[in-house]
Amino acid sequence: MEFAKRMDRFGEGVFTMLAQMKHRRLEEGKEIVDLSIGAPNIPPAPHILKVLSEECLVPENYIYAISDQKELLNAVSRWYKNRYSVELDPETEICSLLGSQEGLAHIALSIVDEGDRVLVPDPCYPIFADGPSLAGASLYYMPQKKENHYVINLSEIPEEVAMEARLMLVSYPNNPTTAVAPDSFYRELITFAKKYNIIVLHDNAYSELVFDGKSCGSFLRFPGAREVGVEFNSLSKTYGLAGARVGFCIGNREVVGRLKTLKSNMDYGLFLPIQKAAAAAVTGDQSCVAVTRAAYEKRRDLLCEGLAEIGWKIDKPEATMFVWAKVPGHFDTALEFVKELFEQTGVLVTPGSAFGPSGEGYVRIALVQDEEAIHRAVKAIKSSKILDIGQEH
């Protein structure tokens, strides 16, 4: 058999390898604390579940959705006005996604042609690079450096690269580095995009998971943002609807329109009960958001403070549901450390190298287990020799 050459760009993902490691250990009957994949374990609030369950019992809701219901579009418009102070036209500036992952996988197909240049962060959530790669794009990695608080320095992008670029992806609060960008960055970003005629995609999946009493808003609140791009937002982390797969592309009507056209040829829209539940989530009682935020903040404190007490000092993240940690000691690679950590403790984390070249030397730890499991993880690491081995290398 012969297959598409585009698949040569994709090897077996690191998450597949981690899953295999996990499966083998479980077969051996050994304990695991899985802090690798960012799969939220906080369920939706009761009022959201109530709407979803009731709508699932309506026979008429099992037809093809085809397009977004007005109820959903109007709800998202109200959500953005109330939460982010952004006014939106429900009909032309909002498009639902079958989860942000689906949108990130496909949007480049509506913007770039084979060989076009796309700018992506480094390190970055893998689909930021994989989506444009599926479209045949040429990638340029924009470093997110610790010395710049993991915020992209746009002035470091070579002039010739900027002139060639068609699309750029950015995301703050950031996965995996957990960084939050200052307002000055967004103003520079909009100026940069206008100068070089680049479409911006800002992923805003973690805007509600900002800690220590701080907050952040939307890229679209800045003057000129809607002229140059769109924002993706997700209900997975904020409202616990991860498995329901619901997100939104919001902003520039030309970009939104092209994506709607593409999707009309690829899928039949969100399941109607999920549309109803999504509308209930963004317009209903928002106290559940604060509860979710507090849960992740407590997990962050337990993990970082617990590890610091045993000698692995990690900067507390200011946002997201992750911890970005430098590999302790002098392991040759992040993957080597991940394997050794898992072998000794059963604690599974993700090597930073899975997120791009600049991720080497770091691991991402997902705060996706309850407090008791985090206590067990810290205790297992303390009881092991992993930190001592790191010092011996």
Side-chain angles (χ1 to χ4, degrees):
M1 295 180 181
E2 295 184 2
F3 297 94
K5 290 183 174 59
R6 71 175 63 88
M7 290 306 298
D8 294 341
R9 304 180 184 212
F10 305 96
E12 183 180 83
V14 68
F15 292 105
T16 302
M17 183 197 67
L18 296 179
Q20 292 169 349
M21 290 167 53
K22 179 180 175 180
H23 179 69
R24 285 195 295 269
R25 189 176 178 93
L26 287 173
E27 283 192 328
E28 295 169 0
K30 296 179 180 178
E31 187 178 21
I32 287 174
V33 180
D34 189 354
L35 304 177
S36 60
I37 297 176
N41 71 333
I42 299 174
H47 70 277
I48 302 172
L49 291 174
K50 183 175 184 292
V51 171
L52 181 58
S53 61
E54 289 176 349
E55 294 297 332
C56 282
L57 295 175
V58 177
E60 291 77 13
N61 283 340
Y62 286 81
I63 62 171
Y64 289 131
I66 303 297
S67 59
D68 298 327
Q69 301 292 291
K70 286 187 177 181
E71 176 189 354
L72 177 63
L73 297 174
N74 289 332
V76 174
S77 179
R78 291 198 302 275
W79 174 43
Y80 255 68
K81 181 178 180 180
N82 294 334
R83 170 59 182 87
Y84 301 107
S85 299
V86 173
E87 298 271 0
L88 295 168
D89 181 336
E91 296 296 328
T92 62
E93 295 181 327
I94 303 170
C95 172
S96 75
L97 308 170
L98 302 177
S100 290
Q101 181 97 348
E102 176 267 316
L104 290 163
H106 294 141
I107 191 170
L109 293 169
S110 69
I111 295 173
V112 304
D113 292 314
E114 187 84 23
D116 284 343
R117 188 67 66 101
V118 173
L119 312 181
V120 298
D122 176 29
C124 74
Y125 183 48
I127 196 63
F128 284 11
D130 291 346
S133 291
L134 282 170
S138 169
L139 303 182
Y140 176 85
Y141 286 96
M142 303 178 289
Q144 298 185 117
K145 300 177 181 177
K146 182 176 175 60
E147 56 266 32
N148 199 38
H149 307 289
Y150 297 110
V151 176
I152 297 165
N153 186 342
L154 298 171
S155 66
E156 293 183 350
I157 300 172
E159 179 87 8
E160 63 273 18
V161 172
M163 291 181 68
E164 292 176 355
R166 295 274 300 277
L167 171 67
M168 66 187 300
L169 293 91
V170 297
S171 178
Y172 298 101
N174 185 258
N175 175 12
T177 70
T178 78
V180 176
D183 287 357
S184 58
F185 169 76
Y186 292 105
R187 296 188 183 99
E188 293 170 9
L189 174 64
I190 292 164
T191 300
F192 180 86
K194 286 183 176 180
K195 178 179 179 180
Y196 295 107
N197 195 29
I198 301 172
I199 293 172
V200 174
L201 192 166
H202 179 255
D203 185 44
N204 199 25
Y206 300 97
S207 63
E208 298 295 2
L209 300 186
V210 182
F211 308 131
D212 305 314
K214 300 177 183 177
S215 64
C216 68
S218 166
F219 159 67
L220 297 174
R221 78 186 191 277
F222 294 94
R226 217 170 321 199
E227 297 171 28
V228 299
V230 294
E231 178 164 276
F232 277 17
N233 212 322
S234 168
L235 306 193
S236 293
K237 287 78 180 178
T238 304
Y239 297 102
L241 285 165
R245 312 310 303 134
V246 52
F248 302 98
C249 175
I250 298 162
N252 183 279
R253 63 185 58 199
E254 290 184 79
V255 178
V256 170
R258 287 300 180 100
L259 183 58
K260 282 185 176 182
T261 300
L262 176 68
K263 284 175 61 61
S264 71
N265 289 277
M266 298 180 70
D267 64 63
Y268 286 105
L270 282 173
F271 183 40
L272 290 175
I274 291 176
Q275 293 198 38
K276 303 278 189 179
V282 299
T283 60
D285 182 0
Q286 297 298 293
S287 61
C288 60
V289 177
V291 171
T292 296
R293 182 187 306 114
Y296 283 117
E297 185 169 347
K298 182 69 179 295
R299 295 174 184 185
R300 175 203 68 169
D301 292 345
L302 286 173
L303 181 73
C304 292
E305 292 169 10
L307 292 177
E309 288 177 3
I310 62 175
W312 189 2
K313 300 191 183 305
I314 301 169
D315 293 333
K316 280 187 178 182
E318 54 187 328
T320 78
M321 56 189 289
F322 303 107
V323 172
W324 186 240
K326 190 168 181 59
V327 171
H330 302 285
F331 286 88
D332 291 335
T333 66
L335 183 57
E336 177 191 351
F337 170 72
V338 167
K339 290 180 176 179
E340 187 70 31
L341 177 70
F342 188 61
E343 178 65 27
Q344 288 202 33
T345 69
V347 177
L348 189 61
V349 301
T350 304
S353 50
F355 303 98
S358 294
E360 186 55 81
Y362 290 84
V363 293
R364 192 195 72 176
I365 308 172
L367 302 170
V368 294
Q369 301 291 345
D370 60 23
E371 294 173 23
E372 190 275 332
I374 290 175
H375 277 299
R376 284 193 284 111
V378 173
K379 183 179 179 181
I381 294 171
K382 181 179 180 179
S383 300
S384 75
K385 303 297 183 183
I386 187 72
L387 299 183
D388 295 335
I389 291 175
Q391 297 301 324
E392 291 170 4
H393 268 58

